[in-house]
Amino acid sequence: MWKRNGKKMEVVYGDIADQKDIDAVVNAANAELQTGGGVAGAIHRAAGPALAEAGEKLAPIKPGEAVLTDGFNLPNDYVIHCLGPVYHRDSPADVLLASCYREALARAEEKQCTSIAFPAISTGAFGYPFQSAMRTAITTVMETVDKLEHVKLVRFVLFSEGEAEEYRLFLAED
Ligand code: AR6
């Protein structure tokens, strides 16, 4: 766990669609804001069909953008949908990925959320190398969260214990 000025970052191994004590969960979305594989599949399954209907009104979104919907049947008030860069297609990939994290935090702050959970955006179907995406995710959140009033807790949810350990080690180095 990382703490500074009343802000906290933590790492868990688990399912992004099962984060009960968090105000807003982030979706590794597609441009159409519809269901898909990986994170998007898990979030849409848990939220129910109303999430795809809400997505229709806001789509399409661009790489680096984040839009907010209700959480519907999820245990969270909101879903924040980020379109990460497709590695080797959308560039500059690191700038677009950093924008996802900053924009998602901005959407959470606008709704006065105190907690937000992120998956490892772009590191699955979109092919972004895990370590490099992790460094961008953590450094961007560290830089951004200090400036926010409402968001106090940022949780990174990783889908394997090995990936969660990599996040923990990187946070401990700060
Ligand atoms: N909870 C947490 N992490 C997960 C979960 C889960 N339930 N499922 C997968 N991961 P991905 P992307 C991890 O592919 O790369 C979708 O089909 C996974 O191991 O979900 O941004 C959309 O429709 C990986 O480390 O997102 C888009 O078209 C990370 O989450 C596209 O894939 C992200 O994997 C988005 O691709």
Side-chain angles (χ1 to χ4, degrees), residues 117-136:
F118 284 98
I121 299 168
S122 281
T123 67
F126 284 178
Y128 207 120
F130 180 82
Q131 291 252 352
S132 162
M134 172 186 78
R135 284 192 288 271
T136 295

Side-chain angles (χ1 to χ4, degrees), residues 81-132:
H81 306 259
C82 289
L83 180 60
V86 176
Y87 203 67
H88 288 316
R89 190 190 78 185
D90 302 320
S91 70
D94 57 339
V95 172
L96 294 169
L97 188 63
S99 170
C100 285
Y101 285 89
R102 265 198 305 274
E103 287 293 303
L105 288 166
R107 294 298 88 73
E109 181 74 8
E110 284 158 13
K111 292 290 185 186
Q112 311 195 347
C113 293
T114 60
S115 55
I116 180 171
F118 284 98
I121 299 168
S122 281
T123 67
F126 284 178
Y128 207 120
F130 180 82
Q131 291 252 352
S132 162

Side-chain angles (χ1 to χ4, degrees), residues 58-88:
L58 301 168
I61 63 167
K62 297 192 189 74
E65 251 188 272
V67 295
L68 179 140
T69 66
D70 284 345
F72 301 102
N73 294 337
L74 279 161
N76 320 98
D77 292 337
Y78 304 108
V79 177
I80 297 172
H81 306 259
C82 289
L83 180 60
V86 176
Y87 203 67
H88 288 316

